[in-house]
Amino acid sequence: MQRNSEDRDGESSQASTTTTIFISECLCEIHDSSNRIRCGLFLTVLIAVTSVSATYLAQSTYYGEFNAPYFVTYFSTAWLILMYPIYTLILFIYSKGAYSPKHAIREHIQIFAIHEFTFGHFLGKSALFCVLWIGAMYTYTKALDPNFTNAADVYAIYSTHYSFFYILSWIVLFELFVAVRIIALIFSIIGVVLFLYTDSFGSRYMWGVILAVTSSAVMSIYKVLFKKFAGQPGFGKLSLFLSVLGLFSSLFLWPVLLVLVLSNTENISGKVVPWGRVCGTMILFLFYHLLMNYTSGLTYKVFLGLGVALGIPICTISDYVFKNLTLNGMEITALGLTFTGLLLVLWPERCPAGLYKPFKCCVKNEIEAQNREQRSHSVLHYNKD
């Protein structure tokens, strides 16, 4: 009788120890993934607010006599030059002077080098990306002209570049086929067609939609080519690339601005330029790209895309609340389809381990705990015999 009591006490102690180990292992696994998820949710909201604010501020630059989308794009892009100096300065301070910029720049400038670096190859690729970047940003800013369409529609149409990027990646880069992303592409295309049918053909609204679609298509081409030629570069190479992008824009694309000014297409005289709005657009533009390019290591990449997706309903609500814009049924359907398409295309082919790791960890540890208990029972029964 006493031995049975001791056995029960031993079993209880063993079970208690097993449960403690199980709980501690689960908490350890959950801690890292939960931090990344919390950081991801915060970045999702921050990206949504920043992208929507940049969109509305860019639209507000159409103020009075000022109507210069190319100048706004050119001015904002020029400030990308600061990216690499800021990156270098931060590393220099962090390393307490041990960081060598000369040695680092030799490595970072090889962002497009596959086998051997050539300066002509680097300049050619940089010029190509500069033209694509300016093209995408200019058509987006031009589409935001209040005479064309509202900000929510432009934002939603531009977000379809995620779907176009996937289909181009599948064709050009031979990426993994994911059926749900093809459905997302179909939703995005139907949404764009419905936007075109919202107003009569030939109207100013239709031209706004065409400009937004052009911006989305050019940005998807830009992203696919960048991934093809540069892969997934580190922060140093990416910072240098963005600075070169700003430098190329400043040095070689000013003749376009000059032609637009001389032809009276754009008026950038100091009296009509709303410098506060233009500079605010530039700051938000830079901050948005900082978030999208430099925070991927803090969380799962899907949260960055979700930030763009969250911007669609925020833009729609903002248009309704602050601008008293009402949406017809076709426009609401188009917004819903593009939003759904964006969510589907963001669905990863393999769910990030951290998103289900806490649950997987708990199931795995529970099974291991049960196995340990069974082994302990077997040992106890063997001792009894």
Side-chain angles (χ1 to χ4, degrees):
M1 189 72 175
Q2 183 178 358
R3 183 173 182 178
N4 290 339
S5 176
E6 290 177 355
D7 291 343
R8 282 195 299 270
D9 291 341
E11 291 177 9
S12 176
S13 176
Q14 181 71 21
S16 176
T17 304
T18 302
T19 304
T20 303
I21 295 173
F22 160 63
I23 293 174
S24 63
E25 288 177 350
C26 281
L27 290 176
C28 180
E29 294 287 344
I30 291 171
H31 180 71
D32 179 61
S33 58
S34 62
N35 284 340
R36 290 173 67 86
I37 292 172
R38 281 196 295 268
C39 183
L41 293 174
F42 173 74
L43 286 173
T44 296
V45 176
L46 191 60
I47 288 170
V49 172
T50 304
S51 59
V52 171
S53 301
T55 296
Y56 277 103
L57 204 53
Q59 189 176 55
S60 72
T61 59
Y62 291 91
Y63 180 76
E65 299 179 6
F66 184 75
N67 186 331
Y70 184 83
F71 171 73
V72 174
T73 303
Y74 178 84
F75 180 78
S76 299
T77 303
W79 287 90
L80 288 174
I81 296 173
L82 297 176
M83 289 295 187
Y84 193 68
I86 291 174
Y87 168 82
T88 303
L89 180 62
I90 291 174
L91 281 188
F92 186 80
I93 295 173
Y94 181 77
S95 64
K96 298 180 180 179
Y99 179 74
S100 174
K102 290 183 180 180
H103 176 75
I105 200 170
R106 292 194 192 98
E107 177 187 351
H108 296 156
I109 204 172
Q110 300 186 31
I111 182 172
F112 300 128
I114 300 176
H115 302 294
E116 184 178 353
F117 173 79
T118 61
F119 200 63
H121 182 77
F122 176 78
L123 291 179
K125 292 290 192 301
S126 299
L128 171 64
F129 286 116
C130 181
V131 171
L132 290 174
W133 178 278
I134 291 292
M137 293 296 101
Y138 168 73
T139 49
Y140 183 77
T141 308
K142 182 65 177 176
L144 288 171
D145 188 336
N147 294 321
F148 285 144
T149 184
N150 55 63
D153 293 358
V154 175
Y155 186 98
I157 294 170
Y158 175 76
S159 69
T160 59
H161 78 267
Y162 279 89
S163 297
F164 297 143
F165 169 69
Y166 166 69
I167 195 66
L168 288 175
S169 298
W170 180 49
I171 296 171
V172 177
L173 305 178
F174 307 104
E175 290 201 350
L176 181 67
F177 175 81
V178 182
V180 71
R181 293 184 180 176
I182 300 299
I183 299 173
L185 177 66
I186 295 171
F187 279 13
S188 299
I189 293 173
I190 295 173
V192 170
V193 172
L194 289 180
F195 276 122
L196 287 170
Y197 272 98
T198 298
D199 209 340
S200 59
F201 280 96
S203 65
R204 295 183 68 84
Y205 177 87
M206 186 198 76
W207 289 112
V209 173
I210 291 174
L211 284 168
V213 173
T214 303
S215 176
S216 175
V218 174
M219 180 52 69
S220 63
I221 294 171
Y222 167 89
K223 286 189 171 183
V224 168
L225 291 180
F226 184 79
K227 191 171 183 179
K228 178 179 178 61
F229 294 132
Q232 295 181 339
F235 291 154
K237 290 183 177 181
L238 182 62
S239 301
L240 180 63
F241 169 75
L242 292 175
S243 290
V244 170
L245 202 67
L247 183 63
F248 265 64
S249 171
S250 303
L251 293 179
F252 301 114
L253 295 182
W254 62 266
V256 179
L257 181 62
L258 182 62
V259 170
L260 293 173
V261 172
L262 292 177
S263 62
N264 293 322
T265 305
E266 295 192 1
N267 183 7
I268 58 171
S269 61
K271 294 181 180 179
V272 299
V273 177
W275 285 108
R277 303 183 186 201
V278 172
C279 292
T281 301
M282 177 269 295
I283 292 170
L284 288 174
F285 168 81
L286 291 179
F287 186 60
Y288 169 74
H289 287 287
L290 281 171
L291 291 174
M292 295 298 290
N293 291 310
Y294 293 93
T295 59
S296 57
L298 301 176
T299 184
Y300 306 108
K301 289 185 178 180
V302 66
F303 286 108
L304 305 183
L306 286 176
V308 178
L310 182 60
I312 296 178
I314 292 177
C315 259
T316 306
I317 295 170
S318 299
D319 274 348
Y320 177 77
V321 173
F322 298 109
K323 296 189 176 182
N324 297 320
L325 295 176
T326 55
L327 305 176
N328 56 40
M330 190 172 291
E331 198 170 359
I332 293 173
T333 304
L335 286 167
L337 284 171
T338 52
F339 178 72
T340 305
L342 181 52
L343 291 181
L344 290 176
V345 81
L346 290 173
W347 188 269
E349 62 272 11
R350 296 182 183 87
C351 189
L355 293 179
Y356 60 81
K357 193 172 183 180
F359 308 103
K360 181 180 178 181
C361 137
C362 291
V363 173
K364 179 182 177 181
N365 287 336
E366 187 174 5
I367 293 172
E368 291 178 353
Q370 290 175 355
N371 291 336
R372 281 194 290 265
E373 288 182 5
Q374 290 177 357
R375 286 196 298 270
S376 66
H377 282 304
S378 300
V379 171
L380 290 172
H381 286 306
Y382 175 78
N383 290 336
K384 288 178 185 178
D385 295 338

